[in-house]
Amino acid sequence: MNKVADIASIRNGYAFRGRIESDKEGDTRVIQASDLTEDTELDTDKLACVQLGKKANRYELSENDIVFMARGQRQRAYRPIRQTVTGKSIITAFGLLVISAREHMVIPEYLHWALNTRRVQQHIQVLKEGTGITFISDKKFSNVEIPLPPLETQRKITRLIDLHTQRAHVRQQLATMDEKIAQAAAWSLATEQTQ
């Protein structure tokens, strides 16, 4: 088991003063907690824009960074960010941690998967602080431990998880089609008997 701090760097998001007001002419897109959904996917095209200029450089996400929701009920890791075609920088707001994998030690997709496993999530729950709106500090998060097999094994695990996700998607599509066929057949039978 390895501590997250040993295999990745961790930093807090940008601390805005007051509410984030979107500006279409802004040069920077901002990921807020409300942008993060249950399925750990992130649509970067719909993010609010702000004008930050050079201040954004220090907080800018790279393509393989992972976003972790440090506040609230869902302390989850979100899929590595895929940059949009806008060319605008993407940053996170305060309360979201940015995790940058040391890729010679850990594959970002593997780290994302490991942080969302039930056992690691249980450990994170124990480390949470506060009443009402709970949180995990970057210092405590840095001590979270995950298993770290060799890179080749990490690649195999991420391929296995990708295949599972694809199969789940296909199963969902088949279930939807099956439902439509059953409904159409039932409707046909019902109307056939009433004519």
Side-chain angles (χ1 to χ4, degrees), residues 19-185:
R19 192 167 182 258
I20 297 172
E21 298 290 340
S22 191
D23 173 5
K24 289 182 182 178
E25 304 301 316
D27 59 7
T28 306
R29 290 186 182 270
V30 182
I31 299 171
Q32 303 173 69
S34 59
D35 297 314
L36 304 177
T37 63
E38 281 294 322
D39 65 3
T40 71
E41 294 288 345
L42 183 61
D43 183 354
T44 55
D45 287 324
K46 297 179 181 173
L47 301 175
C49 282
V50 295
Q51 191 68 40
L52 279 185
K54 291 182 179 177
K55 287 190 283 185
N57 294 349
R58 182 174 165 215
Y59 296 91
E60 188 173 356
L61 297 178
S62 72
E63 185 177 358
N64 290 322
D65 284 343
I66 297 166
V67 176
F68 185 83
M69 187 179 289
R71 295 189 176 277
Q73 296 304 310
R74 291 181 287 138
Q75 269 91 26
R76 308 260 339 255
Y78 288 81
R79 198 167 293 283
I81 302 306
R82 303 294 175 221
Q83 299 290 4
T84 61
V85 293
T86 63
K88 294 183 180 185
S89 298
I90 299 175
I91 65 166
T92 62
F94 191 79
L96 300 175
L97 299 177
V98 177
I99 306 155
S100 301
R102 294 187 177 106
E103 294 188 42
H104 66 284
M105 298 176 74
V106 63
I107 297 168
E109 290 79 7
Y110 172 82
L111 181 57
H112 168 258
W113 169 79
L115 289 171
N116 286 323
T117 58
R118 188 172 51 82
R119 288 188 180 164
V120 174
Q121 283 288 307
Q122 287 171 339
H123 182 62
I124 289 170
Q125 294 300 316
V126 171
L127 297 175
K128 286 172 30 174
E129 301 177 58
T131 56
I133 299 176
T134 58
F135 69 96
I136 182 168
S137 68
D138 53 344
K139 186 173 274 190
K140 284 197 174 185
F141 182 80
S142 69
N143 290 317
V144 170
E145 293 184 336
I146 66 164
L148 194 67
L151 288 172
E152 188 51 39
T153 305
Q154 292 178 39
R155 286 186 193 91
K156 288 177 183 175
I157 291 168
T158 57
R159 282 195 296 268
L160 177 67
I161 297 304
D162 283 345
L163 286 172
H164 171 73
T165 302
Q166 289 171 17
R167 282 196 308 267
H169 181 67
V170 169
R171 280 194 298 269
Q172 181 60 45
Q173 287 179 320
L174 288 171
T176 301
M177 279 197 276
D178 191 42
E179 172 72 16
K180 287 179 181 176
I181 290 167
Q183 290 294 332

